Structures are given as C-alpha cells and as structure tokens.
Amino acid sequence: MNKEQVDRTSISLPVDLAEYARAKGNGNTSAYLASLIEKDRRLDRIKAMLVEHGYTGEQAITDDGVAAMRDRLHRVRRERANRRQQAA
C-alpha cells in the first residue's frame, strides 16, 4: 500500500469476522485487511497475465482446477512421506 496516499473507508463486518480481524491484525486491523486485499489484487493480476498469455478455454486457471491440483500435490506429498516411513 502506498503510504503517501491513504483513503479512509469505513466497513461493517459481522461480529465474529471483526473479532477475528482484530486478533489477526495484532492491533492494526486496517493493515491486516489491506494485506488481504493486496493479496487478492495480486492474484487477479496473475490470472489476467495468464489469460493474456493464452491460458484460456480448457487451459484457463479455474478455482476447481486449483483445488484439484492442490489435492494432487497433497496426495503426492502423503505418498512420498509414506514411502520414506516404510523405507526407514
């Protein structure tokens, strides 16, 4: 976030989310929320870049595809850990 330019915005959150944000922000809820928004914006830029370079249609990055790849990576890690345990 550009520290020279700050726009104050008031938001309303459900109590449980507000309490969570306060706790995660360690006294700086605004900075915590700003970091989440920045991460989301960075992901949008990455997705736009991938589309720009031809990752569209069947090659498009989708939430389902990300979840499937995450599951695959977790499965591979578990299998490797199991093989290491069996070899020990």
Side-chain angles (χ1 to χ4, degrees), residues 46-56 60:
I46 291 168
K47 288 177 182 178
M49 181 186 68
L50 289 169
V51 167
E52 183 179 319
H53 291 291
Y55 288 90
T56 59

Short mmCIF file of all heavy atoms in Angstrom, two decimals, residues 46-56 60:
data_model
loop_
_atom_site.label_atom_id
_atom_site.label_comp_id
_atom_site.label_asym_id
_atom_site.label_seq_id
_atom_site.Cartn_x
_atom_site.Cartn_y
_atom_site.Cartn_z
N ILE A 46 -2.21 -11.86 -11.62
CA ILE A 46 -1.61 -13.10 -12.12
C ILE A 46 -2.56 -13.80 -13.08
O ILE A 46 -2.17 -14.24 -14.16
CB ILE A 46 -1.20 -14.02 -10.97
CG1 ILE A 46 -0.02 -13.41 -10.21
CG2 ILE A 46 -0.87 -15.43 -11.47
CD1 ILE A 46 0.28 -14.09 -8.88
N LYS A 47 -3.84 -13.89 -12.69
CA LYS A 47 -4.83 -14.53 -13.56
C LYS A 47 -4.96 -13.78 -14.88
O LYS A 47 -5.05 -14.40 -15.95
CB LYS A 47 -6.18 -14.63 -12.86
CG LYS A 47 -6.19 -15.67 -11.75
CD LYS A 47 -7.52 -15.67 -11.02
CE LYS A 47 -7.51 -16.67 -9.87
NZ LYS A 47 -8.77 -16.67 -9.12
N ALA A 48 -4.96 -12.45 -14.83
CA ALA A 48 -5.04 -11.65 -16.05
C ALA A 48 -3.82 -11.88 -16.94
O ALA A 48 -3.95 -11.98 -18.16
CB ALA A 48 -5.18 -10.17 -15.71
N MET A 49 -2.65 -11.99 -16.32
CA MET A 49 -1.43 -12.24 -17.08
C MET A 49 -1.50 -13.61 -17.77
O MET A 49 -1.13 -13.75 -18.93
CB MET A 49 -0.22 -12.19 -16.17
CG MET A 49 1.10 -12.41 -16.88
SD MET A 49 2.50 -12.52 -15.75
CE MET A 49 2.15 -14.06 -14.93
N LEU A 50 -2.01 -14.61 -17.06
CA LEU A 50 -2.13 -15.94 -17.65
C LEU A 50 -3.09 -15.92 -18.83
O LEU A 50 -2.81 -16.53 -19.88
CB LEU A 50 -2.58 -16.95 -16.60
CG LEU A 50 -1.53 -17.28 -15.54
CD1 LEU A 50 -2.16 -18.08 -14.40
CD2 LEU A 50 -0.37 -18.04 -16.14
N VAL A 51 -4.20 -15.22 -18.70
CA VAL A 51 -5.15 -15.09 -19.82
C VAL A 51 -4.48 -14.40 -20.99
O VAL A 51 -4.60 -14.82 -22.15
CB VAL A 51 -6.42 -14.33 -19.37
CG1 VAL A 51 -7.26 -13.92 -20.57
CG2 VAL A 51 -7.24 -15.19 -18.41
N GLU A 52 -3.72 -13.34 -20.70
CA GLU A 52 -3.02 -12.59 -21.74
C GLU A 52 -2.04 -13.48 -22.51
O GLU A 52 -1.79 -13.27 -23.69
CB GLU A 52 -2.26 -11.43 -21.08
CG GLU A 52 -1.55 -10.52 -22.03
CD GLU A 52 -0.84 -9.39 -21.29
OE1 GLU A 52 -1.43 -8.85 -20.35
OE2 GLU A 52 0.30 -9.08 -21.68
N HIS A 53 -1.49 -14.48 -21.85
CA HIS A 53 -0.53 -15.38 -22.48
C HIS A 53 -1.15 -16.67 -22.98
O HIS A 53 -0.45 -17.65 -23.21
CB HIS A 53 0.63 -15.66 -21.52
CG HIS A 53 1.49 -14.46 -21.29
ND1 HIS A 53 2.31 -13.92 -22.25
CD2 HIS A 53 1.62 -13.66 -20.21
CE1 HIS A 53 2.92 -12.85 -21.78
NE2 HIS A 53 2.52 -12.67 -20.55
N GLY A 54 -2.47 -16.67 -23.12
CA GLY A 54 -3.12 -17.77 -23.80
C GLY A 54 -3.73 -18.85 -22.93
O GLY A 54 -4.22 -19.85 -23.44
N TYR A 55 -3.69 -18.69 -21.63
CA TYR A 55 -4.30 -19.70 -20.76
C TYR A 55 -5.79 -19.42 -20.65
O TYR A 55 -6.27 -18.85 -19.67
CB TYR A 55 -3.62 -19.72 -19.38
CG TYR A 55 -2.24 -20.31 -19.46
CD1 TYR A 55 -1.13 -19.51 -19.71
CD2 TYR A 55 -2.04 -21.67 -19.30
CE1 TYR A 55 0.14 -20.05 -19.80
CE2 TYR A 55 -0.78 -22.23 -19.39
CZ TYR A 55 0.31 -21.41 -19.64
OH TYR A 55 1.56 -21.95 -19.73
N THR A 56 -6.49 -19.80 -21.70
CA THR A 56 -7.93 -19.58 -21.79
C THR A 56 -8.60 -20.90 -22.18
O THR A 56 -7.92 -21.88 -22.47
CB THR A 56 -8.26 -18.51 -22.84
OG1 THR A 56 -7.76 -18.93 -24.11
CG2 THR A 56 -7.66 -17.16 -22.48
N ALA A 60 -7.61 -22.54 -19.08
CA ALA A 60 -7.84 -21.47 -18.12
C ALA A 60 -7.64 -21.97 -16.70
O ALA A 60 -7.95 -23.12 -16.37
CB ALA A 60 -9.26 -20.92 -18.28
#
